[in-house]
Amino acid sequence: MPGNGWRIPAKALEGDVIDGMTQRFEDQNWVLGVLAKAATSATQIKEAAAALKELTLRLRDLSVIQVSVKRIELTAQDLSITLDPAGLSKLISCNSIDPDNSALKIKVALELRRRGVETKLIIAPVSTKKSDVDDGLVSLIAQAHTWWTQLQSESAASIEDLAKTSQMPPSEVTRVLPLAFLAPDIVSAILEGRQPVDLTTERLKRLRPFPTDWQEQRRVLGFSS
């Protein structure tokens, strides 16, 4: 219950949880951040993203909420929804989603409006400010994770295999593959559009030598404070 002892009707809270989840499930960048490591191919990412979008139509079913949500916390400022990775993976027929993925915790800004003895929760509108998310960078990182997962699972035997399937030179695969080992905070910054202005897809692909140390990655790419 928020401060000041205001009582929130269960139905209103349920509706705001559904609206908050729907916003994220339809957000392409959020979806990619959740699925990039869980899917084994670009095709699986597309299928899982489509399943998430379809899932928004089933969120009125309380059993779907019970399976996909681990915890709900409410304050006077925001609504925090922690998704259950195992339950969500099952609902969208995807490989296990990383339980440590910070995107699984959805925070939704709220406005509390009181009318008489009732309190109404209103989800703050999504900002219309132009996003700084670089779709090229996001796709590049997703591709790197997809290829690395294919090599780990042995669905691709070699870099030559990946190159043949992707119809591109092996040298291009070699340039992109190391990006699967970027520091998690760098990946998060790129997914949220917080990367340095001079960080382009070409610069990222041609980073040589590619630093394995995360602190060195931050320094070279301009993420250090």
Side-chain angles (χ1 to χ4, degrees):
M1 181 184 298
N4 298 326
W6 289 357
R7 296 188 178 185
I8 310 300
K11 272 292 180 186
L13 180 56
E14 180 184 321
D16 287 321
V17 169
I18 291 170
D19 289 345
M21 291 173 69
T22 298
Q23 283 184 6
R24 293 306 184 275
F25 289 1
E26 292 180 346
D27 181 334
Q28 183 180 3
N29 293 314
W30 181 88
V31 170
L32 182 58
V34 170
L35 299 178
K37 292 184 180 180
T40 57
S41 68
T43 299
Q44 281 196 5
I45 289 179
K46 289 180 181 178
E47 290 174 350
L52 269 176
K53 192 166 185 178
E54 184 181 343
L55 189 61
T56 62
L57 303 175
R58 299 167 50 203
L59 290 177
R60 295 287 169 188
D61 182 344
L62 187 57
S63 65
V64 173
I65 298 288
Q66 290 173 333
V67 170
S68 58
V69 174
K70 181 185 292 185
R71 184 168 59 254
I72 297 171
E73 297 170 282
L74 177 66
T75 71
Q77 290 76 41
D78 58 46
L79 175 67
S80 179
I81 308 163
T82 303
L83 299 176
D84 185 317
L88 192 59
S89 299
K90 183 178 179 180
L91 285 170
I92 63 173
S93 302
C94 182
N95 294 337
S96 296
I97 295 172
D98 181 5
D100 295 323
N101 192 321
S102 60
L104 290 172
K105 189 165 186 176
I106 299 172
K107 281 210 169 188
V108 183
L110 293 175
E111 296 176 13
L112 285 172
R113 295 184 184 175
R114 190 166 188 172
R115 181 178 299 171
V117 295
E118 293 184 351
T119 302
K120 186 175 181 62
L121 271 78
I122 300 174
I123 290 186
V126 178
S127 173
T128 56
K129 181 183 176 183
K130 183 181 180 298
S131 172
D132 292 321
V133 173
D134 185 322
D135 291 337
L137 286 173
V138 172
S139 297
L140 199 63
I141 292 172
Q143 185 65 81
H145 280 287
T146 296
W147 281 342
W148 177 243
T149 301
Q150 288 176 325
L151 287 175
Q152 281 187 308
S153 64
E154 299 184 353
S155 59
S158 63
I159 287 177
E160 287 73 20
D161 244 6
L162 291 173
K164 184 176 179 180
T165 303
S166 306
Q167 297 183 327
M168 60 179 59
S171 59
E172 182 73 0
V173 177
T174 303
R175 279 193 289 267
V176 173
L177 200 54
L179 302 181
F181 304 101
L182 280 171
D185 57 302
I186 293 179
V187 174
S188 295
I190 290 173
L191 291 175
E192 295 168 10
R194 295 185 288 104
Q195 71 279 353
V197 292
D198 61 345
L199 183 56
T200 63
T201 54
E202 282 306 307
R203 182 186 171 202
L204 198 53
K205 280 195 296 185
R206 300 185 185 282
L207 183 61
R208 292 290 181 275
F210 183 84
T212 55
D213 179 74
W214 286 351
Q215 188 57 40
E216 182 64 9
Q217 289 177 11
R218 297 181 189 106
R219 187 190 69 77
V220 170
L221 294 175
F223 285 92
S224 53
S225 55

